[in-house]
Structure formats: C-alpha cells, structure tokens
C-alpha cells in the first residue's frame, strides 16, 4: 500500500507540475497577497505620525502585514478547484482512474499532493508577507518579531487558513465538477456568505462566527477586531471553524470522488 500510494502521488505531482494553470494561479495568489499587504503596511507607516489615537489603537502589526490575504484567498481557492475540476473538464480523469483503478487510493494521493502543495505555499506566503511587512514597519519602529507572544501563532494560522480554503475549493471542484460553477460557489462561500450572516445577526451571531473570513480575522491578528467583537470568534472557536470546514470538504470530496468518477 505505501508503494502504491507513493507511485500514485508521484503521478499527481507530475500532473500538478505540468498544468500551466496551477503555476499561474499560484503566482497570482502569492503576488496579489504580498502586493496588497505591502501597500497596506506602507500606508500605515507613512500615515502613522498623523493618525488619531483611535486609529493607532486599531493598528495590528501582524494583521496589517497579512491584510492582502482577504483577496488572495480566492486565488488559493481557485487553485484547489483547478486541482480536480480540470481533470473532469478535459477528460483526464479517465486516464487517472485507468492508471490507478482503486479510487480510494487515487483520491488519497491527489488530496495529499494538492493539500501538501497548498500548505507549503500558504505558509511560505504568510511568512514572506510577515517579514516584508515588518521590514517596512521597522522604519517607524512599529515592527514586532516572531518571538513576540502570539505572533508565530498568527502567522502560522494565516498560512493554515489559506490551506483550508484551498482544500474547500478542491472539495467544491470534486462535488460540482465544473470549474466555473465551483469557483462561483467558492466566491459565494468566502465573500457573499458574510452579508447573509450579517443579515441574521439580530437573531444570532453564530452564522457570522462560522464564516471563514471572520475566523481568519481572529487567527491572523494579534488582537480581535475592535469594531466587531460580537461577530469575531474566539481563538479556539476559529480553529474549530477551520477544522469543521476541512472535515466537511474532505468528506464531501471523498464521497463524490469514490462514488462516481465517470
């Protein structure tokens, strides 16, 4: 079984590496996240002498360094969608299952390769964004180090969040099996769901706390968002939130992939 899994994973690595869309999407994800984060911290550093006390109280050296992830996360999700939907669109899935007829083995190999690549890319992007952001903030002596309490956790969890969104996109691609449809569903989940959750806050704040974007605000910052504490989940709840999305995505894609891969 380990030998068969290793061989199946090697095939998935070759496919992932040969897909031009994978590298283009990965490049967009990293470049977009870094560019927006750098612009945000540069603006903060330049405006710091003129900022009010209230604005300075909301400043988060880690959160500002990772602020570009609010938009780059879509690129990571698309990376997950393309990791599986492109095979159904092109018909390559038939070749995959011919080479690896055991669907559970094929699913495991594909998930490990895509998930591993997303985790590595997410953490690399998070730490790169953090270090560049701190270099900019250091000019105004606003920077923090990885040894500061909560910093390593925040940066690591930001990369973990990008990994989870990639796996969610992968799950949507496996279930829907249509690239455009899966990307639309991903966009609705990550962005449009926020408005729907906010609309029912009068009855319950739970939907807001379950949103991926709000979990990211908790995990990728040193301090909770001061303007919306009622909809910001605790650290433990945010981690549970990511685990819940990850488990649901893996379960749905496993069921769909192994049930009918034609």
């Amino acid at each position: 079984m380990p030998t068969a899994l290793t061989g199946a994973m090697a095939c998935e690595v070759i496919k992932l590496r040969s897909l031009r869309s994978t590298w283009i999407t990965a490049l967009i994800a990293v470049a977009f996240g870094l560019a927006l984060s750098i612009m945000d911290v540069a603006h903060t550093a330049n405006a710091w002498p003129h900022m009010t006390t209230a604005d300075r109280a909301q400043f988060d050296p880690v959160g500002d360094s990772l602020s570009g992830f609010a938009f780059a996360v879509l690129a990571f999700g698309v990376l997950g969608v393309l990791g599986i939907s492109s095979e159904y669109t092109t018909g390559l899935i038939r070749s995959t299952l011919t080479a690896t007829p055991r669907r559970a083995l094929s699913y495991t190999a594909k998930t490990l390769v895509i998930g591993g690549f997303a985790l590595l890319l997410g953490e690399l992007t998070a730490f790169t964004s953090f270090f560049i952001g701190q270099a900019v903030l250091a000019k105004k002596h606003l920077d923090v180090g990885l040894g500061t309490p909560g910093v390593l956790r925040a940066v690591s969890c930001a990369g973990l969040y990008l990994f989870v969104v990639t796996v969610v996109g992968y799950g949507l691609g496996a279930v829907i099996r249509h690239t455009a449809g899966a990307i639309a569903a991903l966009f609705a989940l990550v962005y449009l769901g926020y408005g729907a959750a906010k609309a029912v806050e009068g009855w319950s704040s739970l939907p807001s706390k379950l949103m991926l974007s709000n979990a990211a605000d908790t995990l990728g910052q040193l301090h909770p968002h001061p303007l919306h504490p009622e909809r910001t989940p605790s650290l433990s709840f945010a981690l549970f939130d990511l685990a819940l999305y990850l488990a649901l995505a893996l379960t749905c894609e496993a069921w769909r992939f192994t049930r009918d891969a034609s």
Side-chain angles (χ1 to χ4, degrees), residues 18 24 38 40 43 48 51 53 67 69 79 98 102 104 109 125 135 155 172 181 203 236 245 260:
S18 62
I24 293 177
I38 292 171
D40 192 22
H43 172 74
W48 186 260
M51 292 173 63
T53 303
S67 58
F69 287 10
L79 178 65
T98 299
R102 297 170 60 184
T125 304
V155 180
L172 290 172
W203 292 279
S236 58
Y245 276 95
D260 178 18

Side-chain angles (χ1 to χ4, degrees), residues 7 19 49 81 86 145 199 211 224 227 231 233:
L19 286 174
V81 170
S86 58
M211 294 305 301
L227 297 180
R231 73 171 71 130

Side-chain angles (χ1 to χ4, degrees), residues 13-24 82-84 86-87 90 92:
V13 170
I14 294 174
K15 286 191 292 185
L16 188 67
R17 189 172 56 191
S18 62
L19 286 174
R20 182 181 300 177
S21 60
T22 300
W23 297 107
I24 293 177
L82 293 175
I84 182 65
S86 58
E87 291 202 43
T90 61
L92 184 61

Side-chain angles (χ1 to χ4, degrees), residues 37 59-70 126 129-130 134 144 150-162 212-225 232-235 238-239 242:
S37 297
F59 169 67
D60 190 310
V62 177
D64 280 22
S65 297
L66 304 174
S67 58
F69 287 10
S129 183
F130 169 76
Q134 299 315 301
V144 294
V151 172
L152 182 59
R153 180 268 305 164
V155 180
S156 300
C157 285
L160 181 63
Y161 167 67
L162 294 176
L212 271 172
S213 56
N214 285 336
D217 288 341
T218 296
L219 295 172
Q221 296 183 3
L222 291 181
H223 313 292
H225 199 295
T232 303
S234 64
L235 177 60
L239 289 172
L242 290 191

